[in-house]
Amino acid sequence: MFTLAIIKPDAVGAGKTGQILAHLEQAGFKIRAARLVRLSTVQAEAFYEVHRARPFYRPLVRFMTSGPGLALALERDNAVAHLRVVIGATDPAEAQPGTVRQLYAESKERNAIHAADSPENAAREIAFFFPERELRELAAPGAS
Ligand code: CMP
């Protein structure tokens, strides 16, 4: 099963990409696709469309367009739910010890990593960043 993560611009800018990738690999995730992306405002607005009515939407779009992020298609059993556990709560002050956000996030907004919150959103978000890849292709043994 697949999920979608983004190492966010705060963590990429602070040089924490490698440590976070190591953390994800140690948690059993296989990196099946990766792409360094500088989102445009239109792309970030579309990606976070479900949050459009929330007060943090505009600052979130500004932050996500402030520098490159690393989009990842990750594979593991129970990938969506497991990645949510591994990254920890949205607010690093509330994240469990040893989670990615507790270790690397600065704040609720600059929180180092995004993870899809359902299998449906994982499929939508993978297609958003890797439109040229079929989930089936990502699932093939030996796929990179
Ligand atoms: P993410 O997993 O990328 O999904 C939505 C993002 O909105 C979330 O992580 C946070 O970075 C950001 N955000 C900013 N403020 C809030 C808030 N008050 N509640 C939830 N998410 C917030």
mmCIF file of all heavy atoms in Angstrom, residues 17-29 83 85-87 97-101 103-104:
data_model
loop_
_atom_site.group_PDB
_atom_site.id
_atom_site.type_symbol
_atom_site.label_atom_id
_atom_site.label_comp_id
_atom_site.label_asym_id
_atom_site.label_seq_id
_atom_site.Cartn_x
_atom_site.Cartn_y
_atom_site.Cartn_z
ATOM 1 N N THR A 17 16.514 17.110 5.218
ATOM 2 C CA THR A 17 15.914 16.135 4.297
ATOM 3 C C THR A 17 16.484 14.727 4.507
ATOM 4 O O THR A 17 15.736 13.758 4.618
ATOM 5 C CB THR A 17 16.164 16.570 2.836
ATOM 6 O OG1 THR A 17 15.766 17.922 2.701
ATOM 7 C CG2 THR A 17 15.386 15.712 1.860
ATOM 8 N N GLY A 18 17.797 14.629 4.564
ATOM 9 C CA GLY A 18 18.442 13.318 4.678
ATOM 10 C C GLY A 18 18.059 12.608 5.967
ATOM 11 O O GLY A 18 17.773 11.399 5.968
ATOM 12 N N GLN A 19 18.048 13.362 7.069
ATOM 13 C CA GLN A 19 17.686 12.744 8.352
ATOM 14 C C GLN A 19 16.241 12.257 8.343
ATOM 15 O O GLN A 19 15.919 11.199 8.891
ATOM 16 C CB GLN A 19 17.875 13.754 9.486
ATOM 17 C CG GLN A 19 19.336 14.061 9.776
ATOM 18 C CD GLN A 19 19.483 15.284 10.673
ATOM 19 O OE1 GLN A 19 19.280 15.200 11.868
ATOM 20 N NE2 GLN A 19 19.801 16.408 10.080
ATOM 21 N N ILE A 20 15.356 13.031 7.707
ATOM 22 C CA ILE A 20 13.944 12.629 7.674
ATOM 23 C C ILE A 20 13.762 11.417 6.765
ATOM 24 O O ILE A 20 13.038 10.475 7.100
ATOM 25 C CB ILE A 20 13.047 13.816 7.270
ATOM 26 C CG1 ILE A 20 13.093 14.875 8.377
ATOM 27 C CG2 ILE A 20 11.614 13.355 7.018
ATOM 28 C CD1 ILE A 20 12.385 16.177 8.045
ATOM 29 N N LEU A 21 14.468 11.402 5.622
ATOM 30 C CA LEU A 21 14.391 10.215 4.741
ATOM 31 C C LEU A 21 14.891 8.977 5.485
ATOM 32 O O LEU A 21 14.282 7.900 5.397
ATOM 33 C CB LEU A 21 15.219 10.428 3.472
ATOM 34 C CG LEU A 21 14.642 11.383 2.428
ATOM 35 C CD1 LEU A 21 15.635 11.573 1.281
ATOM 36 C CD2 LEU A 21 13.308 10.864 1.878
ATOM 37 N N ALA A 22 15.978 9.110 6.229
ATOM 38 C CA ALA A 22 16.508 7.971 7.000
ATOM 39 C C ALA A 22 15.483 7.507 8.027
ATOM 40 O O ALA A 22 15.270 6.300 8.218
ATOM 41 C CB ALA A 22 17.813 8.361 7.684
ATOM 42 N N HIS A 23 14.836 8.460 8.672
ATOM 43 C CA HIS A 23 13.804 8.140 9.660
ATOM 44 C C HIS A 23 12.674 7.332 9.009
ATOM 45 O O HIS A 23 12.219 6.322 9.561
ATOM 46 C CB HIS A 23 13.261 9.458 10.232
ATOM 47 C CG HIS A 23 12.428 9.322 11.454
ATOM 48 N ND1 HIS A 23 12.830 9.786 12.693
ATOM 49 C CD2 HIS A 23 11.206 8.780 11.639
ATOM 50 C CE1 HIS A 23 11.883 9.530 13.584
ATOM 51 N NE2 HIS A 23 10.886 8.935 12.971
ATOM 52 N N LEU A 24 12.242 7.772 7.822
ATOM 53 C CA LEU A 24 11.147 7.081 7.129
ATOM 54 C C LEU A 24 11.576 5.678 6.696
ATOM 55 O O LEU A 24 10.820 4.706 6.840
ATOM 56 C CB LEU A 24 10.684 7.906 5.921
ATOM 57 C CG LEU A 24 10.108 9.297 6.245
ATOM 58 C CD1 LEU A 24 9.803 10.056 4.959
ATOM 59 C CD2 LEU A 24 8.861 9.194 7.126
ATOM 60 N N GLU A 25 12.798 5.557 6.202
ATOM 61 C CA GLU A 25 13.282 4.237 5.781
ATOM 62 C C GLU A 25 13.406 3.309 6.987
ATOM 63 O O GLU A 25 13.057 2.127 6.921
ATOM 64 C CB GLU A 25 14.615 4.367 5.051
ATOM 65 C CG GLU A 25 14.452 5.019 3.681
ATOM 66 C CD GLU A 25 15.710 4.975 2.840
ATOM 67 O OE1 GLU A 25 16.816 5.155 3.397
ATOM 68 O OE2 GLU A 25 15.594 4.765 1.630
ATOM 69 N N GLN A 26 13.883 3.857 8.104
ATOM 70 C CA GLN A 26 14.009 3.032 9.312
ATOM 71 C C GLN A 26 12.640 2.602 9.833
ATOM 72 O O GLN A 26 12.517 1.598 10.532
ATOM 73 C CB GLN A 26 14.812 3.776 10.378
ATOM 74 C CG GLN A 26 16.320 3.613 10.149
ATOM 75 C CD GLN A 26 17.144 4.738 10.754
ATOM 76 O OE1 GLN A 26 16.684 5.419 11.675
ATOM 77 N NE2 GLN A 26 18.346 4.924 10.250
ATOM 78 N N ALA A 27 11.604 3.368 9.483
ATOM 79 C CA ALA A 27 10.235 3.009 9.882
ATOM 80 C C ALA A 27 9.611 2.024 8.899
ATOM 81 O O ALA A 27 8.416 1.724 9.001
ATOM 82 C CB ALA A 27 9.387 4.266 10.004
ATOM 83 N N GLY A 28 10.402 1.548 7.943
ATOM 84 C CA GLY A 28 9.925 0.486 7.053
ATOM 85 C C GLY A 28 9.336 0.947 5.735
ATOM 86 O O GLY A 28 8.814 0.130 4.975
ATOM 87 N N PHE A 29 9.424 2.248 5.451
ATOM 88 C CA PHE A 29 8.875 2.749 4.182
ATOM 89 C C PHE A 29 9.904 2.615 3.066
ATOM 90 O O PHE A 29 11.081 2.931 3.263
ATOM 91 C CB PHE A 29 8.460 4.216 4.316
ATOM 92 C CG PHE A 29 7.260 4.413 5.190
ATOM 93 C CD1 PHE A 29 7.399 4.712 6.534
ATOM 94 C CD2 PHE A 29 5.979 4.255 4.680
ATOM 95 C CE1 PHE A 29 6.294 4.859 7.362
ATOM 96 C CE2 PHE A 29 4.862 4.399 5.494
ATOM 97 C CZ PHE A 29 5.022 4.708 6.835
ATOM 98 N N LEU A 83 2.168 6.004 8.574
ATOM 99 C CA LEU A 83 2.937 7.243 8.404
ATOM 100 C C LEU A 83 2.408 8.345 9.323
ATOM 101 O O LEU A 83 3.184 9.144 9.851
ATOM 102 C CB LEU A 83 2.927 7.698 6.941
ATOM 103 C CG LEU A 83 3.823 8.910 6.653
ATOM 104 C CD1 LEU A 83 5.290 8.617 6.994
ATOM 105 C CD2 LEU A 83 3.706 9.348 5.204
ATOM 106 N N VAL A 85 1.290 7.972 12.265
ATOM 107 C CA VAL A 85 1.879 7.718 13.584
ATOM 108 C C VAL A 85 3.342 8.163 13.600
ATOM 109 O O VAL A 85 3.793 8.834 14.538
ATOM 110 C CB VAL A 85 1.762 6.215 13.950
ATOM 111 C CG1 VAL A 85 2.534 5.914 15.231
ATOM 112 C CG2 VAL A 85 0.297 5.818 14.094
ATOM 113 N N VAL A 86 4.066 7.818 12.539
ATOM 114 C CA VAL A 86 5.506 8.104 12.478
ATOM 115 C C VAL A 86 5.781 9.613 12.452
ATOM 116 O O VAL A 86 6.758 10.082 13.031
ATOM 117 C CB VAL A 86 6.126 7.400 11.239
ATOM 118 C CG1 VAL A 86 7.511 7.926 10.916
ATOM 119 C CG2 VAL A 86 6.162 5.896 11.464
ATOM 120 N N ILE A 87 4.898 10.391 11.807
ATOM 121 C CA ILE A 87 5.169 11.842 11.734
ATOM 122 C C ILE A 87 4.716 12.575 12.987
ATOM 123 O O ILE A 87 5.261 13.608 13.323
ATOM 124 C CB ILE A 87 4.590 12.505 10.466
ATOM 125 C CG1 ILE A 87 3.074 12.620 10.509
ATOM 126 C CG2 ILE A 87 5.066 11.789 9.218
ATOM 127 C CD1 ILE A 87 2.505 13.419 9.322
ATOM 128 N N PRO A 97 7.257 11.803 21.531
ATOM 129 C CA PRO A 97 8.717 11.741 21.404
ATOM 130 C C PRO A 97 9.137 10.754 20.316
ATOM 131 O O PRO A 97 8.549 9.690 20.182
ATOM 132 C CB PRO A 97 9.172 11.232 22.784
ATOM 133 C CG PRO A 97 8.069 11.594 23.713
ATOM 134 C CD PRO A 97 6.799 11.532 22.902
ATOM 135 N N GLY A 98 10.140 11.156 19.545
ATOM 136 C CA GLY A 98 10.665 10.271 18.498
ATOM 137 C C GLY A 98 9.929 10.360 17.186
ATOM 138 O O GLY A 98 10.324 9.709 16.213
ATOM 139 N N THR A 99 8.853 11.145 17.106
ATOM 140 C CA THR A 99 8.168 11.321 15.830
ATOM 141 C C THR A 99 8.901 12.389 15.008
ATOM 142 O O THR A 99 9.670 13.197 15.545
ATOM 143 C CB THR A 99 6.704 11.747 16.029
ATOM 144 O OG1 THR A 99 6.670 12.966 16.784
ATOM 145 C CG2 THR A 99 5.916 10.667 16.765
ATOM 146 N N VAL A 100 8.649 12.372 13.686
ATOM 147 C CA VAL A 100 9.352 13.307 12.795
ATOM 148 C C VAL A 100 9.087 14.754 13.222
ATOM 149 O O VAL A 100 10.015 15.577 13.290
ATOM 150 C CB VAL A 100 8.923 13.086 11.326
ATOM 151 C CG1 VAL A 100 9.526 14.156 10.416
ATOM 152 C CG2 VAL A 100 9.330 11.698 10.849
ATOM 153 N N ARG A 101 7.834 15.059 13.532
ATOM 154 C CA ARG A 101 7.531 16.456 13.873
ATOM 155 C C ARG A 101 8.107 16.836 15.236
ATOM 156 O O ARG A 101 8.561 17.970 15.416
ATOM 157 C CB ARG A 101 6.025 16.692 13.810
ATOM 158 C CG ARG A 101 5.544 16.812 12.355
ATOM 159 C CD ARG A 101 4.058 16.767 12.270
ATOM 160 N NE ARG A 101 3.556 17.134 10.946
ATOM 161 C CZ ARG A 101 2.326 16.846 10.533
ATOM 162 N NH1 ARG A 101 1.493 16.197 11.333
ATOM 163 N NH2 ARG A 101 1.936 17.205 9.331
ATOM 164 N N LEU A 103 10.821 15.774 16.411
ATOM 165 C CA LEU A 103 12.272 15.908 16.237
ATOM 166 C C LEU A 103 12.649 17.102 15.351
ATOM 167 O O LEU A 103 13.665 17.760 15.608
ATOM 168 C CB LEU A 103 12.834 14.626 15.609
ATOM 169 C CG LEU A 103 12.849 13.391 16.505
ATOM 170 C CD1 LEU A 103 13.143 12.140 15.665
ATOM 171 C CD2 LEU A 103 13.886 13.549 17.617
ATOM 172 N N TYR A 104 11.842 17.374 14.305
ATOM 173 C CA TYR A 104 12.310 18.298 13.264
ATOM 174 C C TYR A 104 11.426 19.516 13.009
ATOM 175 O O TYR A 104 11.853 20.434 12.309
ATOM 176 C CB TYR A 104 12.495 17.540 11.945
ATOM 177 C CG TYR A 104 13.473 16.392 12.057
ATOM 178 C CD1 TYR A 104 13.043 15.070 11.998
ATOM 179 C CD2 TYR A 104 14.835 16.637 12.254
ATOM 180 C CE1 TYR A 104 13.929 14.010 12.120
ATOM 181 C CE2 TYR A 104 15.732 15.584 12.382
ATOM 182 C CZ TYR A 104 15.271 14.272 12.314
ATOM 183 O OH TYR A 104 16.159 13.239 12.446
#
